[in-house]
Amino acid sequence: MPTDTQSGKPWWRGIAITGTIFLAVVTLAVVMGLSGGSGGSPSDGSSDDQRQTAPTERNNTGGDAKSTARNLVSGVPVGYAHSQAGAVQAAVNYQVARSSAAYFTDEEARHATLTAMMTSQALDRQIRNDDNGMQQVLTSLGITSANEGELVARSAAMGTQVTTYTDQVATVEVWMAGLVGVTDENAPMPVSASWTTYTLTLQWQSADWKLASITSVNGPTPLDAGSDDPTSVDEFRTADREFNAPPYAG
């Protein structure tokens, strides 16, 4: 998704969606990648030499039992371990929670979801951003009160990568595959695949990992029937090496 294109990000990110589907998914991208923070990065009070960079080896174990969430709040898993594994699992579960059909169409459900996962400083801004943006998305998808039950929106994590970690702040990249569209012959966008890498900054607050900001870019994107410019084999190889396998959601 197109909100985070700063230099230094992995070169393999790209998009392979064209035509009407491209326009609708890009609109979706703008919304789902909006910053949830207050304009700056959260501070944990640590000096640079105290920061820890996550190991680069792949993790295929699905995490450990101690990282699983303890409770559900408004259907969102919360209560994560105060550890790197806990931060990763929170990032995955929070982004999945932002990807449901109800999150798009039900304002009350969306607000409850955000209240469960955002830091206190980021909550109001994210609510405003997502409320405004979701209306744009629904318009792009041709969703009305008559056909909102036809919306399909699902996602799953393909991999994770921790770029920075301290016991107060963690930055986690989550590579997601999604389905979004409308099962209505008259809608402008059929159900289509989307591939997105989210960068989520989490802060330890109220004895849990909470979201402080969210940005995203498109890809890596595989070849499919609707792709004119899919991510190359070499680019996928790089992505596969750089992203750990996702942890189990608790």
Side-chain angles (χ1 to χ4, degrees), residues 22-194:
F22 171 83
L23 294 175
V25 173
V26 165
T27 303
L28 170 65
V30 171
V31 178
M32 299 305 287
L34 285 171
S35 172
S38 56
S41 298
S43 172
D44 61 0
S46 301
S47 61
D48 289 342
D49 59 359
Q50 291 177 304
R51 290 190 174 275
Q52 304 173 31
T53 300
T56 57
E57 64 268 24
R58 296 171 63 191
N59 172 15
N60 294 309
T61 64
D64 57 61
K66 293 182 179 179
S67 71
T68 57
R70 297 188 298 269
N71 303 298
L72 289 176
V73 174
S74 299
V76 180
V78 298
Y80 295 93
H82 196 182
S83 64
Q84 182 169 302
V88 169
Q89 189 173 44
V92 171
N93 284 341
Y94 289 163
Q95 190 50 49
V96 169
R98 294 181 73 236
S99 305
S100 70
Y103 190 87
F104 288 79
T105 60
D106 187 331
E107 182 179 282
E108 183 178 351
R110 182 166 60 250
H111 290 185
T113 296
L114 289 171
T115 300
M117 68 174 63
M118 302 301 300
T119 65
S120 57
Q121 298 88 345
L123 176 60
D124 287 345
R125 181 180 180 180
Q126 194 68 47
I127 285 176
R128 289 193 302 270
N129 287 345
D130 280 15
D131 282 353
N132 291 335
M134 285 302 172
Q135 186 56 55
Q136 299 174 36
V137 171
L138 296 179
T139 299
S140 296
L141 296 178
I143 297 292
T144 66
S145 58
N147 69 352
E148 65 181 20
E150 309 271 343
L151 176 65
V152 174
R154 298 191 179 205
S155 68
M158 297 293 100
T160 60
Q161 178 176 243
V162 179
T163 55
T164 62
Y165 176 80
T166 72
D167 63 358
Q168 294 300 310
V169 178
T171 303
V172 182
E173 295 188 349
V174 184
W175 179 22
M176 303 282 287
L179 294 175
V180 62
V182 185
T183 55
D184 183 338
E185 292 182 356
N186 297 319
M189 180 178 169
V191 177
S192 307
S194 64

